[in-house]
Amino acid sequence: MEEKRITKENLIKLGSNWVNDGMNVYVNNGKKYTLMKLHEEDLKGFEEAPPLMSYKEIVFPKTEPILYYKKSQKEVEIIEPKIGGVKNIVIGAKPCDAKSISIMSKVFNWDYKDSFFNVRAEESVIIGMACKYNDEHCFCTSVGISPVSTDGSDLFLIPLANDNFGVRIISDKGKELISKYESYFTNGDSEESENVLSSIPIPEKKFNAENVKSWLDKNFESEFWNTTAEMCLGCSQCAFVCPVCHCFDIVDEDYSFTEGRRMKNWDACQNGLFTKHASGHNPRDKQPKRYRQRVSHKFKYYKDKFDEYLCTGCGRCSRGCPAGIDIGEIVERIDKLTN
Amino acid sequence: MTELKNLVKSLLEEGKVTKVIGYRMYGENNTKPYIAVTPNDAEEMVLNTDCRNNLSVYLTKKEIINGGKTGIVAKGCDIRNIIALIQENRIKEEDILIISAECKGVGAEKGSAVYANKCVNCSVKTPHLYHELVEMKGSELSQPKDKYTEAKEKVLAMNSGERFEYFSNMFSECIKCYACRQACPMCYCEQCIADMSIPRWIESSATDRGNLSWNMIRAFHLSGRCTGCNECERACPAEIPLSFINKLMYDTAKEEFNYESGMNKETPTLIGSYNTKDNDNFIQ
Amino acid sequence: MENIYKPYLMEIAEIIPETKDTATFKLKFKDPEIASVFNFKAGQFAEYSVFGEGECTFCIASSPTRMEYIECSFKEAGKVTAALNRMNVGETIGFRGPYGNYFPVEEMKGSNVVFISGGIGLAPVRCVIDNVLDLRDEFKDITIIYGARSVQDLVYKNLLDEWQKRSDVKTIVTVDPGGETPDWKGEIGFVPTVVEKASLKAENTFAIICGPPIMIKYTMPVLLKLGFEESKIITTLENRMKCGFGKCGRCNIGNVYVCKDGPVFTYEQMKALPEEY
Ligand SMILES: Cc1cc2nc3c(=O)[nH]c(=O)nc-3n(C[C@H](O)[C@H](O)[C@H](O)COP(=O)(O)OP(=O)(O)OC[C@H]3O[C@@H](n4cnc5c(N)ncnc54)[C@H](O)[C@@H]3O)c2cc1C
Ligand code: SF4
Ligand code: SF4
Ligand code: SF4
Ligand code: SF4
Ligand code: SF4
Ligand code: FES
């Protein structure tokens, strides 16, 4: 694998250049993937928890028009939204976030292909970074990711001594992104990077995801669900911050009597109205059923359908849950039930 | 004073309550809500300076409150919400049993050495409605910096255009998850105005316009009702300082009508005591 | 960029009021080119939209053997259906589809077919009835059993008359006890009871059943008792949908997307699903 080296100062400059080139550059500043303005943001996050919100917005915005319309008494004209045309760069993506686009890509591309997602995914370049953080909510290794995995990254940063970074070139997209700016880089030292990588403790697996899945295969009806998330408030925080939750609603919004737009908005299965029929019947009428959907979608249904777990183990849903519900802990308990 | 665990255990054993909503440890410097149903469940129950949650939100959930008297562990501030719920006829006092303590204040967040903002100037550290008293554990915390007063002065000095801009910016990061609503003990409507589609009062998209109308309307619906428990802000994944606008409304209710919600179960609610002679010159 | 969310525009060519709260729309594609290539199979559904109000899901009620119009029948239930009810002939609505799977009309050829439906549930069944009747020679005995709460709640009254006049179809129309009018000539009784008394042959017979969940719940055991094969009892499910094509995550029952793998399911398939509908 080709490797280069860059100083942090140059990396930030490089980011500013990309901003100048008209790209949207997001930097992990340790708390947030924040949209970089020229020279304004610092790159942190190596030892920090995954930011509160993932950056899935760059491919799947919280709200976006899927069409505009003009209408008169009898006629309607549809105007297509323009999307894309702007590259999105993420600098310092956590390995547990880097994989999100390729995971979501499966649902947005089986059979019908969602261009809104695809155009943006195609135009996104993910610069991942090794991760030295690990807390009680993290469990990336249990779902096949690790703090040093480059899966999903186009370039991969390895923090070295003296504010230097090893830069591994993972994909052609990554290579192309830096081709114009070779001068910011020096030759990389793969050995030094390897030493850093091997000094990063790889957290032990908390559960065996296959066991969890085989338990879920047989336990749609189980007392377990009634006693697992009884404190869940149905607040949807978990789904909105999750790098791979992808549910949405479609609604119309008039801005006047003659014009408006149709929007695609984030939505989540923890919301009580999510599955409610117009007749009032609701197949998931209680919170335990909704929580069962959450866990089952992540550790069974998505795996059945798309051969991926719908979870990267980032732990942010648990860190942010106002009711202290920890999905890793719950899945761990399921694993224990199988022994 | 009885030990919390023993108290909960005997309440459950004697059948005085069918369940107790309380806290248990969650890692080292954190707690989380749970429900003790059997006397054995009481073993895990704690009350300390890491008990940040306001458990009264669970009293608004039918699945939880139905089926016999409910015990609840509540700090003074949480009791205010319980009282507010009683004032609004949402719950009946005889259906609940409040277990409280002289409050030491709770940490701002996990492992924090300072109080949560809501504890600053708290007037109910000594609980004002309870049925059983226990002791609160945990170390002394220090006072956080007051950011509110300065921000309030700044906003009050703004003209209406500037204020509009200020709040639009504040709410622009909202992602319309409604976690604020779900975590709020006072947001208990069977059908929230945000979910009404005929007509649609609030645009459901998380655009600047939809966000401003949602957050403003929520603040209005909570004015004179919000007790300042800060659960909305704690739940908000977008880190929007929701308590700011709520506190502005709170102060207005206090200054204009000498009303603070959740202080006395006998007083009518602020909205319920509307009078045509009420002052309205603060509305601009 | 191909926009999978973009609907075709359709003109409302005719509105047929069915009952107090249901109506049938006959729709024509605005773009003749689309009209000439558009195709679907009986049992598929679409997303219909009123611009400014939103989208909602209905089956295509007309038969693919009659492509002059696309028809849908709907019951006023909320925002979009109310808006549709306010619309007039000549106005424009959006239409995305067809989506989902369909009834196995090919497989049914050479067999007897029993259609059982209740209320607005006749809409998804009607497309198959028309389809089968248009290919009458290829099927054996055909029985239609339809029930509604009251005489006023019967939909497709003209079609019911038409079917009742045909000698090659046995048509039984029933209303719930108390729902009859003095001059009502049909049956009085609930659908499951009527099915039980209808002396149906189960052998080599497909049963297609759609209607309110309660009707389905009580009719299924009757069909099984009569000896119908589980793989030949076919119904459609109506989970809440938004996208219609396996993206929005709303309609799933376990690992099945009702919008993609359904909405048509055999009883055999349904039994294997978790109870989430
Ligand atoms: C496969 C299938 C086939 C069907 N076939 C038929 C049929 O042939 N005939 C029939 O009558 N019915 C049929 N139905 C049922 C039908 O889809 C519903 O009755 C219909 O969608 C009700 O729509 P509504 O807009 O009137 O109801 P509502 O529930 O009021 O509205 C839903 C719409 O309002 C908006 N909305 C509602 N709540 C919110 C919210 N909280 N936030 C934002 N927006 C919101 C959305 O934009 C949504 O499109 C079928 C359903 C399925 C799944
Ligand atoms: S964040 Fe927690 S309380 Fe909120 S919906 Fe998710 S699990 Fe429930
Ligand atoms: S479910 Fe939770 S831990 Fe898993 S990817 Fe989503 S936010 Fe991260
Ligand atoms: S867990 Fe829930 S919100 Fe997340 S993708 Fe699955 S169904 Fe959607
Ligand atoms: S609005 Fe916020 S601070 Fe006020 S009562 Fe509700 S959750 Fe507590
Ligand atoms: S919790 Fe925060 S992001 Fe979610 S709806 Fe409320 S204000 Fe918006
Ligand atoms: S309707 Fe959207 S996934 Fe089925």
Side-chain angles (χ1 to χ4, degrees):
Chain A
M1 198 183 310
E2 198 183 337
E3 179 163 334
K4 293 181 181 295
R5 187 188 182 96
I6 193 167
T7 61
K8 184 165 164 182
E9 201 191 336
N10 273 344
L11 186 56
I12 298 291
K13 274 192 200 149
L14 190 54
S16 317
N17 275 316
W18 289 327
V19 176
N20 273 338
D21 290 346
M23 304 178 187
N24 287 330
V25 180
Y26 295 82
V27 205
N28 181 353
N29 68 9
K31 293 188 75 179
K32 220 179 141 183
Y33 290 111
T34 181
L35 195 56
M36 186 183 194
K37 316 219 172 63
L38 291 173
H39 293 285
E40 265 178 21
E41 282 301 336
D42 198 2
L43 171 73
K44 290 203 194 84
F46 177 48
E47 295 181 355
E48 247 84 22
L52 238 76
M53 299 274 300
S54 80
Y55 57 76
K56 73 174 166 196
E57 268 224 66
I58 68 170
V59 284
F60 176 39
K62 61 181 181 179
T63 177
E64 77 171 313
I66 46 180
L67 58 88
Y68 297 89
Y69 51 80
K70 284 192 181 140
K71 51 181 182 177
S72 61
Q73 185 62 36
K74 293 211 160 153
E75 298 300 324
V76 171
E77 185 194 347
I78 294 176
I79 299 128
E80 298 251 11
K82 285 191 192 59
I83 62 152
V86 183
K87 260 210 166 74
N88 284 312
I89 319 279
V90 180
I91 309 180
K94 288 273 171 187
C96 52
D97 285 334
K99 215 185 158 189
S100 66
I101 295 181
S102 68
I103 293 177
M104 279 193 290
S105 175
K106 303 242 162 131
V107 65
F108 283 115
N109 283 289
W110 72 299
D111 207 347
Y112 286 81
K113 307 214 170 345
D114 189 326
S115 308
F116 291 89
F117 177 89
N118 288 338
V119 167
R120 292 199 182 85
E122 191 45 50
E123 287 179 344
S124 301
V125 189
I126 305 302
I127 307 178
M129 178 162 65
C131 166
K132 210 174 167 179
Y133 180 84
N134 180 39
D135 70 7
E136 67 270 31
H137 304 297
C138 291
F139 58 91
C140 60
T141 49
S142 309
V143 287
I145 299 173
S146 98
V148 298
S149 61
T150 58
D151 215 359
S153 293
D154 297 298
L155 298 167
F156 192 70
L157 302 174
I158 301 152
L160 307 173
N162 306 324
D163 268 351
N164 275 285
F165 290 94
V167 186
R168 293 200 166 162
I169 296 165
I170 313 292
S171 76
D172 292 343
K173 235 195 218 175
K175 197 180 170 89
E176 204 211 301
L177 180 72
I178 56 172
S179 61
K180 219 172 108 184
Y181 298 103
E182 292 286 348
S183 61
Y184 285 103
F185 296 87
T186 54
N187 285 337
D189 175 356
S190 185
E191 207 182 311
E192 195 187 342
S193 293
E194 258 336 295
N195 287 339
V196 171
L197 291 180
S198 55
S199 76
I200 294 176
I202 306 296
E204 243 179 78
K205 279 193 189 182
K206 287 192 173 160
F207 55 84
N208 178 321
E210 279 169 34
N211 289 351
V212 171
K213 180 171 172 335
S214 62
W215 186 88
L216 291 170
D217 285 342
K218 297 186 287 278
N219 286 283
F220 184 84
E221 297 295 346
S222 162
E223 203 29 53
F224 181 83
W225 300 117
N226 292 331
T227 52
T228 294
E230 54 191 348
M231 305 321 278
C232 172
L233 294 164
C235 78
S236 303
Q237 176 273 152
C238 46
F240 279 54
V241 300
C242 176
V244 287
C245 272
H246 52 263
C247 286
F248 59 86
D249 192 9
I250 298 175
V251 292
D252 279 17
E253 278 173 10
D254 274 349
Y255 348 102
S256 69
F257 288 117
T258 54
E259 277 179 296
R261 56 189 178 176
R262 184 160 293 163
M263 310 292 275
K264 181 177 169 194
N265 293 338
W266 285 357
D267 205 344
C269 64
Q270 299 306 293
N271 170 347
L273 296 174
F274 191 65
T275 51
K276 193 171 171 190
H277 295 195
S279 65
H281 170 66
N282 192 349
R284 293 191 205 122
D285 54 353
K286 300 216 165 68
Q287 210 55 37
K289 295 185 185 173
R290 294 172 207 139
Y291 201 75
R292 170 177 65 197
Q293 162 68 12
R294 179 162 179 81
V295 173
S296 306
H297 194 196
K298 297 198 167 287
F299 294 96
K300 169 176 160 56
Y301 306 156
Y302 210 78
K303 184 75 180 160
D304 280 340
K305 210 123 196 139
F306 303 120
D307 200 24
E308 293 271 9
Y309 293 107
L310 188 65
C311 173
T312 69
C314 69
R316 49 163 71 79
C317 56
S318 313
R319 266 175 232 115
C321 174
I325 291 165
D326 183 319
I327 196 167
E329 178 200 287
I330 286 168
V331 174
E332 211 178 315
R333 256 160 60 201
I334 293 181
D335 186 22
K336 294 218 175 85
L337 292 175
T338 65
N339 294 331
Chain B
M1 209 179 306
T2 3
E3 177 81 21
L4 174 65
K5 286 176 197 175
N6 296 339
L7 172 69
V8 172
K9 201 166 168 197
S10 60
L11 286 172
L12 286 165
E13 268 166 1
E14 291 160 25
K16 287 196 173 143
V17 294
T18 55
K19 62 213 164 273
V20 176
I21 309 170
Y23 304 91
R24 67 170 161 214
M25 291 311 290
Y26 181 37
E28 247 170 51
N29 296 310
N30 211 359
T31 64
K32 65 170 162 183
Y34 88 116
I35 300 181
V37 179
T38 66
N40 262 348
D41 295 342
E43 274 313 306
E44 285 193 65
M45 201 155 278
V46 296
L47 177 57
N48 59 38
T49 50
D50 284 316
C51 293
R52 277 166 281 275
N53 286 59
N54 177 349
L55 302 177
S56 65
V57 66
Y58 294 110
L59 296 178
T60 65
K61 315 259 177 237
K62 275 198 235 96
E63 311 89 90
I64 292 182
I65 187 137
N66 282 355
K69 195 159 177 152
T70 306
I72 181 166
V73 180
K75 312 178 290 291
C77 53
D78 310 336
I79 293 169
R80 293 187 58 178
N81 289 90
I82 297 176
I83 290 177
L85 290 168
I86 294 171
Q87 282 178 295
E88 294 185 7
N89 283 325
R90 179 69 194 186
I91 53 174
K92 293 203 194 72
E93 191 186 348
E94 59 267 29
D95 292 340
I96 53 171
L97 185 146
I98 303 172
I99 304 166
S100 192
E102 184 72 28
C103 186
K104 296 175 147 178
V106 294
E109 52 189 54
K110 195 160 93 177
S112 155
V114 297
Y115 294 136
N117 284 326
K118 67 174 170 181
C119 304
V120 182
N121 299 330
C122 171
S123 61
V124 288
K125 291 204 160 143
T126 303
H128 52 311
L129 177 71
Y130 61 88
H131 307 99
E132 297 285 350
L133 215 51
V134 293
E135 192 196 341
M136 183 172 187
K137 306 259 164 68
S139 49
E140 289 301 318
L141 299 161
S142 54
Q143 192 86 353
K145 267 211 279 303
D146 172 24
K147 292 188 200 135
Y148 172 71
T149 316
E150 198 186 323
K152 180 180 173 182
E153 276 163 17
K154 213 174 88 191
V155 168
L156 292 186
M158 291 175 182
N159 64 32
S160 62
E162 290 164 342
R163 271 190 218 179
F164 185 84
E165 177 87 22
Y166 178 85
F167 284 110
S168 297
N169 279 338
M170 177 182 283
F171 298 133
S172 67
E173 301 265 304
C174 173
I175 53 178
K176 282 286 179 81
C177 62
Y178 303 123
C180 44
R181 172 185 80 187
Q182 295 305 107
C184 173
M186 306 315 294
C187 272
Y188 54 67
C189 294
E190 298 280 326
Q191 202 190 11
C192 175
I193 189 165
D195 292 332
M196 286 183 192
S197 57
I198 319 176
R200 174 152 288 291
W201 296 100
I202 303 177
E203 278 183 7
S204 58
S205 305
T207 52
D208 285 358
R209 197 165 75 165
N211 288 346
L212 184 72
S213 51
W214 160 238
N215 285 286
M216 281 297 178
I217 290 176
R218 196 177 104 85
F220 282 132
H221 283 195
L222 284 152
S223 52
R225 302 176 60 234
C226 169
T227 61
C229 73
N230 269 11
E231 285 295 88
C232 48
E233 184 168 316
R234 203 174 61 84
C236 176
E239 295 192 282
I240 298 171
L242 293 167
S243 60
F244 181 65
I245 187 159
N246 289 333
K247 196 148 167 42
L248 285 178
M249 303 299 273
Y250 183 100
D251 288 357
T252 309
K254 192 171 169 185
E255 287 153 19
E256 302 295 330
F257 305 102
N258 193 24
Y259 183 83
E260 288 187 276
S261 72
M263 296 307 281
N264 183 344
K265 63 179 177 179
E266 311 299 342
T267 23
T269 59
L270 180 60
I271 310 289
S273 56
Y274 172 76
N275 184 319
T276 45
K277 295 197 199 80
D278 281 349
N279 187 4
D280 60 5
N281 60 5
F282 59 92
I283 300 169
Q284 10 174 305
Chain C
M1 183 192 95
E2 203 211 327
N3 183 351
I4 51 176
Y5 300 95
K6 183 181 166 183
Y8 302 125
L9 294 178
M10 295 195 103
E11 184 183 319
I12 304 172
E14 195 183 329
I15 297 176
I16 306 158
E18 300 282 356
T19 69
K20 200 158 77 293
D21 56 1
T22 55
T24 297
F25 278 10
K26 286 190 170 186
L27 304 167
K28 247 186 144 53
F29 287 102
K30 288 258 191 188
D31 182 344
E33 214 159 291
I34 288 159
S36 68
V37 295
F38 184 82
N39 217 330
F40 72 97
K41 293 208 166 83
Q44 289 193 291
F45 67 92
E47 293 295 329
Y48 301 74
S49 53
V50 181
F51 293 88
E53 301 287 345
E55 296 189 309
C56 60
T57 318
F58 308 136
C59 65
I60 302 176
S62 49
S63 162
T65 49
R66 306 176 189 183
M67 288 299 284
E68 195 185 345
Y69 299 105
I70 296 292
E71 289 183 40
C72 67
S73 298
F74 60 89
K75 186 174 155 84
E76 182 165 331
K79 188 175 175 72
V80 185
T81 43
L84 279 169
N85 249 345
R86 291 193 298 268
M87 296 192 83
N88 299 310
V89 170
E91 293 182 0
T92 304
I93 67 165
F95 174 96
R96 297 195 277 125
Y99 300 132
N101 69 353
Y102 39 84
F103 288 102
V105 173
E106 283 303 311
E107 208 186 301
M108 281 153 50
K109 286 180 180 168
S111 306
N112 309 309
V113 190
V114 185
F115 297 98
I116 303 164
S117 63
I120 185 78
L122 186 55
V125 174
R126 179 205 147 188
C127 64
V128 210
I129 297 180
D130 281 349
N131 196 335
V132 165
L133 291 182
D134 285 347
L135 310 168
R136 183 65 191 88
D137 296 348
E138 302 185 50
F139 298 86
K140 294 206 170 116
D141 294 353
I142 294 178
T143 313
I144 300 170
I145 300 174
Y146 173 58
R149 211 171 287 158
S150 72
V151 176
Q152 291 78 27
D153 290 313
L154 295 168
V155 298
Y156 300 144
K157 292 196 185 67
N158 292 342
L159 278 172
L160 291 171
D161 282 349
E162 208 179 283
W163 296 333
Q164 266 168 332
K165 279 187 203 123
R166 285 177 74 140
S167 57
D168 57 351
V169 183
K170 183 172 163 194
T171 306
I172 306 171
V173 182
T174 180
V175 296
D176 291 355
E180 71 273 18
T181 49
D183 57 350
W184 173 243
K185 292 198 187 62
E187 298 275 324
I188 299 170
F190 296 105
V191 170
T193 327
V194 174
V195 171
E196 198 158 12
K197 288 192 305 192
S199 52
L200 300 170
K201 273 191 299 200
E203 200 190 328
N204 190 24
T205 307
F206 280 87
I208 290 184
I209 166 165
C210 289
I214 183 99
M215 181 203 97
I216 298 193
K217 188 173 162 199
Y218 289 106
T219 310
M220 281 299 182
V222 175
L223 291 175
L224 294 173
K225 204 173 91 191
L226 292 173
F228 279 79
E229 280 174 58
E230 292 184 352
S231 61
K232 290 189 176 169
I233 304 177
I234 308 170
T235 188
T236 69
L237 291 177
E238 289 198 355
N239 279 36
R240 186 118 166 103
M241 295 182 181
K242 284 285 174 177
C243 68
F245 41 52
K247 306 277 175 265
C248 75
R250 195 171 298 260
C251 67
N252 73 296
I253 300 178
N255 59 10
V256 162
Y257 283 100
V258 175
C259 66
K260 285 291 315 166
D261 310 319
V264 177
F265 293 92
T266 65
Y267 182 66
E268 193 180 24
Q269 289 167 328
M270 263 178 70
K271 261 188 19 187
L273 294 177
E275 260 200 65
E276 212 174 19
Y277 43 82

